[in-house]
């Protein structure tokens, strides 16, 4: 008997076995319909094998679906990713099939002329319709608008048989990029990097690279040229560019369209599902060459993937924390390895993991020199707040205020950076000292003045600002403590009433469209002072921006988790790197209470190596990543006792292992989220320990009750 092991795209732990009917010929990757309970559901064949004298009664595969089989590279990738992250392979397969879940776009109904038939009675309105239409086809609504008539006029012409309705299949056009459309002339470093990347991608075989250069050094320019060369060598080559944030995609898409004369395909959660289906189908049919996307684009069914680019590779947004927990950058490297392709991690501030791989020769290290052309990096100065603190209830020091005033007078732009949404991070009662928290979550409520609400940033819970203290009942006793971007903008407006100000955060730019609108206003010089969270710190190019003020350079350093210093360095280097990109020199001022901190000293000196060396030494001494590996286990439940019991069971069941330690169980720093109690365990292992094998062996020993959720996070980035 033939048996097929089928991955079911559902959160089920493993592949299910089904009998293969005689008449059906199946292979790995085939999409099939299989019975699950009373239903038929879509699955992907992982394996087909012969078995004799089975004593199990297996259900049979119902049928093979018309949808194309997943390529071998996707199958290998899905299974590898499942093993690496300890997630069910079926869920990984579900991610790979996501594009198929949407319907195809509906055909568009358009009108066109029927031969040269004329209306029985020609009115001016009818004449303008026929003139506006000409020999084209267009939707009735567009036609009425172009002709400046009411919809009734168009309908009348259809009823009379002068116009007819045709259905145009919304066949996705993925124009072929033209490598020679608008090439740039690269400088020496850029050209060398482009050649190395292109050679790596065309030679075949796994080739990882680090593309390392300050903001504005031309990393994008270099990888676009590499793409051109790859396409010249193989017009069917496929290239994937991953970005950490959707807000960055539009600018890159426009740049690619200008360079290659054809827009790339776009893949992320903001793309309408029918369009995503077209991209999925074009990818597996080899009809599209360049895809720009978010991390989930890694699961697309490429058939000839030659090059993956992970831009801003250091960015923590590549780590997916909800649902399937994985790191987009790490999985990109894995996909390239499986496909025998090149992968390039690009950044001005590479992660320590990536630098370590480059230092050890695992990655080819391509370095770009100074900024392109005459642009120079901004001068960075520290403002010691101890020497000259701002007045009470204000946040901008005298020197920063003066610098903003001068910039404004020159007609140039300022970016004030504060990585805190809302008006004030904490609201407390002056009478009893109570801090307002969400009812079912251990996190402080953040005051938002624009909406007049107190918001939990973790869960989205919000409430109106109460009149009375919820704890002691005192009236009008609540005070807002500390600044968020809204409060800094308020201060700026009071100081510079003539300036045009705006706030850029995930509240004022909740989606890609709103972000694009703000970025354009800034680019066109319609904003003088932009107060922004990290939403504006990345990748954007504002030609008139010459001053970056960091309101609280110490903010990220207080976090105290593994990557606090690294993240702060990266974020501040990126934020200050926004200033003076074109021919105007820029300046960055960092307000700090701890100017002697090594991170701030390295930033002020523009000395990345000094920071990296110091941070690497600390990590090495503690055998932490990249010198060791971590995995977290988070238990949560509405039932506090069940969490306690499971945590205790886990602690009892730790397998013997060397060069590995388990810390915890302990209450998570956020011990209560949405009414669920949380406990954490942390595993640290030397690099040569098979951490995943250890975790699998461990988790097999413990029965987790249905009321408890157990989440495994390999290489955790969040320690809450
Ligand atoms: P990065 O990706 O390193 O931040 P970009 O590739 O975006 O740098 O380059 C920064 C700016 O300099 C862009 O406006 C880009 O068009 C320009 N630039 C970089 N290299 C060149 C080049 N060789 N020729 C023309 N313009 C360049």
């Amino acid at each position: 008997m033939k048996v097929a092991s089928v991955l079911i795209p559902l959160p089920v732990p493993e592949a299910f076995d089904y009998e293969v009917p005689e008449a059906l010929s199946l292979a790995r990757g085939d999409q099939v319909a299989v019975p699950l309970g009373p239903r038929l559901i879509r699955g992907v064949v992982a394996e087909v094998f012969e078995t004799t004298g089975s004593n199990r009664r297996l259900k049979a595969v119902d049928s093979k679906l018309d949808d194309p089989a997943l390529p071998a590279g996707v199958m290998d990738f899905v299974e590898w990713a499942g093993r690496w992250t300890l997630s069910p392979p079926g869920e990984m397969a579900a991610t790979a099939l996501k594009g198929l879940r949407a319907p195809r776009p509906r055909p568009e109904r358009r009108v066109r002329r029927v031969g040269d038939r004329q209306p029985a009675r020609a009115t001016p309105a009818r004449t303008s319709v026929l003139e506006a239409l000409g020999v084209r086809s267009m939707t009735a609504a567009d036609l009425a608008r172009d002709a400046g008539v009411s919809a009734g006029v168009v309908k009348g012409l259809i009823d009379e048989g002068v116009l007819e309705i045709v259905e145009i299949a919304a066949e996705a056009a993925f124009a072929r990029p033209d490598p020679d459309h608008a090439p740039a002339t690269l400088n020496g470093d850029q050209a060398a990097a482009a050649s190395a990347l292109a050679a790596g991608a065309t030679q075949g075989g796994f080739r990882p690279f680090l593309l390392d250069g300050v903001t504005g050094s031309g990393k994008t320019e270099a990888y676009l040229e590499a793409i051109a060369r790859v396409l010249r060598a193989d017009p069917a080559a496929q290239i994937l560019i991953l970005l950490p944030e959707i807000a960055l995609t539009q600018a890159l898409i426009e740049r690619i369209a200008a360079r290659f004369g054809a827009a790339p395909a776009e893949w992320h959660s903001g793309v309408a599902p029918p369009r995503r289906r077209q991209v999925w189908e074009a990818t597996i049919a080899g009809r599209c060459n360049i895809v720009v996307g978010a991390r989930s684009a890694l699961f697309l069914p490429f058939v000839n993937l030659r090059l993956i680019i992970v831009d801003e590779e250091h960015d923590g947004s590549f780590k997916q924390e909800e649902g399937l927990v994985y790191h987009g950058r790490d999985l990109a490297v894995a996909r390239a390895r499986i496909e025998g392709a090149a992968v390039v991690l690009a950044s001005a501030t590479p992660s320590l993991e990536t630098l370590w791989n480059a230092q050890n020769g695992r990655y080819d290290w391509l370095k770009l020199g100074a900024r392109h052309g005459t642009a120079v990096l901004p001068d960075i100065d520290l403002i010691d707040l101890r020497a000259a603190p701002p007045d009470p209830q204000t946040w901008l020091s005298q020197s920063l205020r003066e610098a903003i005033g001068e910039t404004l007078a020159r007609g140039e732009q300022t970016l004030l950076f504060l990585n805190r949404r809302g008006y004030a991070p904490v609201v407390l009662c002056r009478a009893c000292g109570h801090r307002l928290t969400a009812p079912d979550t251990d996190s402080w409520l953040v005051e938002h003045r624009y909406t007049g609400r107190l918001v939990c940033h973790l869960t989205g819970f919000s409430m109106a600002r109460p009149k009375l203290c919820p704890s002691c009942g005192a009236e009008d006793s609540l005070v807002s403590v500390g600044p968020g971007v809204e409060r800094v903008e308020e201060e700026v407006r009071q100081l510079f009433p003539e300036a045009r100000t705006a706030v850029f955060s995930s509240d004022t730019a909740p989606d890609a469209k709103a972000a694009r609108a703000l970025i354009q206003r800034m680019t066109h010089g319609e904003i003088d002072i932009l107060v922004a969270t990290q939403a504006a710190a990345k990748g954007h190019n504002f030609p008139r921006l010459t001053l970056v003020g960091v309101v609280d350079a110490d903010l990220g350093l207080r976090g105290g988790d593994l990557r606090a210093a690294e993240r702060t360095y990266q974020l501040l280097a990126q934020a200050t790197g926004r200033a003076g990109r074109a021919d105007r020199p820029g300046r960055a001022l960092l307000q700090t209470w701890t100017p002697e901190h090594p991170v701030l000293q390295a930033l002020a000196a523009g000395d990345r190596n000094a920071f990296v060396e110091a941070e690497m030494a600390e990590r090495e001494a503690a055998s932490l990543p990249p010198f060791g590996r971590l995995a977290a286990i988070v238990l949560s439940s509405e039932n506090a006792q069940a969490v306690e019991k499971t945590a205790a069971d886990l602690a009892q069941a730790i397998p013997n292992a060397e060069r590995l330690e388990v810390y915890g169980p302990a209450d998570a720093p956020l011990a209560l989220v949405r009414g669920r109690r949380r406990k954490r365990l942390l595993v640290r292992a030397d690099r040569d320990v098979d951490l995943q094998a250890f975790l699998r062996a461990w988790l097999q020993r413990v029965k987790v009750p249905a009321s408890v959720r157990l989440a495994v996070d390999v290489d955790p980035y969040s320690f809450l």
Side-chain angles (χ1 to χ4, degrees):
M1 172 173 93
K2 268 210 177 98
V3 174
S5 225
V6 177
L7 295 177
I8 313 256
L10 282 178
V12 288
E14 53 205 13
F16 286 14
D17 286 350
Y18 291 90
E19 188 182 337
V20 182
E22 287 282 335
L24 209 55
S25 141
L26 288 181
R28 177 170 165 82
D30 280 340
Q31 298 196 47
V32 289
V34 291
L36 187 76
R39 296 181 299 148
L40 280 182
I41 100 162
R42 180 192 295 269
V44 187
V45 176
E47 194 190 348
V48 180
F49 57 93
E50 285 284 350
T51 167
T52 48
S54 165
N55 43 17
R56 293 186 295 167
R57 290 226 14 193
L58 294 178
K59 291 188 176 174
V61 173
D62 179 81
S63 58
K64 183 167 152 180
L65 299 173
D66 280 342
D67 291 312
L70 292 186
V74 180
M75 293 302 297
D76 293 351
F77 176 65
V78 158
E79 289 175 339
W80 182 89
R83 284 194 301 274
W84 181 256
T85 61
L86 273 86
S87 321
E91 283 197 68
M92 290 289 173
T95 309
L97 292 173
K98 225 175 198 158
L100 281 177
R101 282 224 295 263
R104 292 202 174 81
R106 281 227 292 267
E108 202 172 59
R109 289 163 65 85
R110 299 194 190 169
V111 291
R112 68 172 178 208
R113 284 293 287 273
V114 180
D116 57 358
R117 243 189 247 175
Q118 298 296 329
R121 196 170 46 82
T123 62
R126 290 180 153 197
T127 308
S128 40
V129 167
L130 296 182
E131 274 171 8
L133 182 60
V135 295
R136 293 183 293 167
S137 68
M138 56 205 294
T139 65
D142 285 349
L143 177 54
R145 197 198 50 226
D146 284 7
V149 303
S150 72
V153 181
V154 176
K155 181 159 183 306
L157 286 167
I158 296 169
D159 293 345
E160 217 179 292
V162 177
L163 303 181
E164 66 180 349
I165 292 178
V166 285
E167 293 207 332
I168 309 282
E171 169 65 17
F174 292 94
R176 291 278 174 199
D178 171 8
D180 302 308
H181 182 74
T185 312
L186 300 188
N187 68 30
D189 283 352
Q190 294 170 349
S195 309
L197 291 176
T202 48
Q203 271 160 13
F206 171 52
R207 290 287 301 277
F209 295 90
L210 164 59
L211 180 58
D212 181 1
V214 295
T215 35
S217 57
K219 297 183 291 299
T220 314
E221 219 57 68
Y223 73 65
L224 291 182
E225 176 57 26
I227 293 174
R229 293 187 194 195
V230 172
L231 287 172
R232 262 185 227 121
D234 176 3
Q238 294 182 309
I239 295 109
L240 170 62
I241 308 176
L242 292 181
L243 295 175
E245 303 226 348
I246 301 177
L248 298 175
T249 50
Q250 200 52 37
L252 184 63
I253 284 173
E254 281 161 20
R255 215 162 146 182
I256 291 176
R259 170 68 179 80
F260 296 102
E266 192 176 355
W267 178 276
H268 51 72
S269 60
V271 176
R275 176 66 186 170
R276 267 191 271 168
R277 176 160 186 152
Q278 290 182 319
V279 174
W280 196 96
E281 290 181 335
T283 310
I284 199 166
R287 283 190 288 111
C288 91
N289 291 107
I290 308 178
V291 176
V292 174
R295 55 189 177 229
S296 62
L298 276 171
F299 290 84
L300 279 170
F302 294 101
V303 286
N304 187 20
L305 187 59
R306 299 307 334 135
L307 175 62
I308 305 178
I309 294 146
V310 184
D311 207 347
E312 311 284 359
E313 71 86 29
H314 62 276
D315 197 305
S317 310
F318 279 118
K319 181 76 194 272
Q320 175 156 301
E321 308 273 2
E322 302 267 307
L324 286 177
V325 178
Y326 67 88
H327 200 303
R329 177 197 60 219
D330 298 349
L331 261 56
V333 175
R335 177 101 198 237
R337 184 165 40 69
I338 287 167
E339 301 283 352
V343 56
V344 51
L345 311 182
S347 176
T349 52
S351 62
L352 260 63
E353 281 81 355
T354 298
L355 282 171
W356 191 84
N357 280 320
Q359 285 168 358
N360 288 297
R362 297 168 175 226
Y363 293 177
D364 270 343
W365 196 344
L366 307 174
K367 294 178 193 171
L368 299 187
R371 283 190 161 187
H372 179 74
T374 53
V376 288
L377 277 173
D379 278 332
I380 301 180
D381 290 312
L382 303 180
I383 298 178
D384 185 348
L385 293 176
R386 291 171 307 196
D391 294 335
Q393 299 305 304
T394 71
W395 323 100
L396 305 178
S397 62
Q398 195 49 39
S399 350
L400 184 51
R401 290 175 172 203
E402 280 163 18
I404 299 172
E406 288 159 16
T407 308
L408 199 56
R410 283 197 307 272
E412 296 173 348
Q413 293 171 309
T414 298
L415 171 74
L416 291 178
F417 177 76
L418 175 63
N419 205 15
R420 244 193 208 148
R421 293 162 52 199
Y423 184 83
V426 176
V427 177
L428 66 75
C429 170
R430 217 172 356 206
C432 72
H434 175 70
R435 290 175 180 216
L436 270 65
T437 57
D440 58 354
T441 299
D442 275 350
S443 89
W444 296 334
L445 290 174
V446 177
E447 179 176 11
H448 285 241
R449 283 264 164 110
Y450 295 164
T451 54
R453 296 188 76 78
L454 306 182
V455 182
C456 170
H457 283 182
L458 203 64
T459 63
F461 165 88
S462 78
M463 60 188 248
R465 196 180 203 269
K467 198 96 184 86
L468 311 178
C469 169
S471 178
C472 71
E475 201 168 329
D476 289 328
S477 67
L478 297 180
V479 287
S480 314
V481 183
V485 278
E486 293 177 9
R487 199 168 197 179
V488 170
E489 196 215 9
E490 182 180 88
E491 182 175 339
V492 168
R493 269 192 277 117
Q494 279 159 8
L495 287 169
F496 306 102
E498 72 286 9
R500 296 162 300 170
T501 62
V503 167
F504 189 165
S505 72
S506 57
D507 300 299
T508 60
D511 53 34
K513 198 163 151 238
R516 198 151 66 232
L518 255 174
I519 291 164
Q520 277 187 350
R521 280 174 60 205
M522 187 71 182
T523 310
H524 296 151
E526 291 161 27
I527 297 169
D528 299 312
I529 304 172
L530 184 66
V531 186
T533 62
Q534 61 171 355
K538 316 174 181 180
H540 308 301
N541 206 338
F542 302 128
R544 271 176 282 253
L545 175 65
T546 56
L547 174 64
V548 170
V550 175
V551 177
D552 184 352
D554 311 324
L555 181 59
L557 294 169
R558 290 181 213 126
D561 76 44
L562 169 66
R563 291 184 183 81
E566 182 184 356
R567 261 201 308 265
T568 303
Y569 183 86
Q570 288 161 345
L571 195 56
L572 296 185
Q574 298 278 340
T576 52
R578 295 300 116 214
R581 283 185 70 129
D583 45 359
R584 299 167 205 252
R587 204 176 160 202
L589 295 173
L590 274 56
Q591 300 195 129
T592 171
W593 296 95
T594 55
E596 66 286 350
H597 195 290
V599 166
L600 299 174
Q601 286 294 324
L603 278 166
D607 189 351
R608 190 182 87 190
N609 288 345
F611 167 73
V612 170
E613 267 174 37
E615 186 65 15
M616 285 273 193
E618 285 201 15
R619 302 267 187 100
E620 185 165 22
S623 299
L624 288 171
F627 299 91
R629 300 191 50 209
L630 295 178
I633 293 180
V634 178
L635 301 169
S636 71
S637 172
E638 283 169 7
N639 180 338
Q641 273 176 346
V643 173
E644 291 289 342
K645 165 102 178 39
T646 310
D649 290 351
L650 271 173
Q652 283 293 317
I654 299 171
N656 272 329
E658 288 182 9
R659 302 188 312 289
L660 177 152
E661 306 93 47
V662 178
Y663 301 95
D667 280 344
L670 287 168
L672 184 71
V673 174
R674 293 189 180 93
R676 301 177 69 89
R677 291 272 150 211
R678 300 171 81 242
K679 283 203 163 282
R680 286 182 67 101
L681 296 106
L682 189 67
V683 185
R684 193 216 64 84
D686 283 1
R687 284 190 68 92
D688 56 351
V689 173
D690 186 342
L691 182 57
Q692 279 84 354
F694 169 84
L695 292 168
R696 258 188 291 276
W698 184 13
L699 297 178
Q700 261 164 21
R701 296 177 171 196
V702 178
K703 173 116 185 57
V704 180
S707 63
V708 175
R709 196 181 300 151
L710 182 150
V712 181
D713 185 351
V714 175
D715 305 325
Y717 274 61
S718 157
F719 295 86
L720 296 176

